[in-house]
Amino acid sequence: QGDSRLADTYFKKASFELIAGDLPYGIAHTSKNARKEKGGSRNPLELVRDCLPAWKQVLVPGGAIALSWNTRVTPRKEMEKAFREAGFRVLTEGPYQQFDHRVDQAIQRDILVALRPVQRGTPQH
């Protein structure tokens, strides 16, 4: 158990090749973040933004993050923007745009895959 925003304090740098998660959909479950610790939020975007710096540190160069979430709460373009602003490369070609599907009337699920860039001279795993 732990706070994902602190992943880089629990694990060494470049410890993981993949981080995968299914974010709270904002229906039965909410996300807790730095600004709304007590009540939680229907929108997981703020939590993701808070976590991205730590996730980037624990991913190897070329490592990936794959997250699913409810696009009725957070549109895909907003999620992509957060990842790009944090320095990730969002995969948008071909199949990476074909995961979107309806779960029920309140949940439209999508999956985003993003890579931690490889710096020149850095070995890729």
Side-chain angles (χ1 to χ4, degrees), residues 17-88:
E17 293 184 22
L18 174 67
I19 295 172
D22 189 18
L23 299 174
Y25 290 159
I27 307 304
H29 301 94
T30 60
S31 64
K32 292 185 179 179
N33 54 47
R35 293 168 196 86
K36 297 178 181 169
E37 285 291 340
K38 295 190 180 188
S41 170
R42 288 191 68 225
N43 190 333
L45 186 59
E46 192 174 321
L47 175 63
V48 168
R49 282 188 178 129
D50 289 346
C51 292
L52 283 170
W55 292 347
K56 190 174 182 182
Q57 291 298 311
V58 300
L59 274 176
V60 299
I65 295 180
L67 296 179
S68 66
W69 80 101
N70 183 2
T71 60
R72 294 194 195 281
V73 177
T74 305
R76 181 178 182 89
K77 289 195 182 293
E78 289 181 28
M79 191 67 74
E80 287 180 0
K81 181 180 177 190
F83 273 82
R84 286 189 182 105
E85 287 174 348
F88 287 87

Side-chain angles (χ1 to χ4, degrees), residues 3-22:
D3 187 331
S4 191
R5 296 170 296 183
L6 304 174
D8 58 341
T9 65
Y10 304 137
F11 304 103
K12 294 187 302 184
K13 283 187 172 189
S15 296
F16 298 94
E17 293 184 22
L18 174 67
I19 295 172
D22 189 18

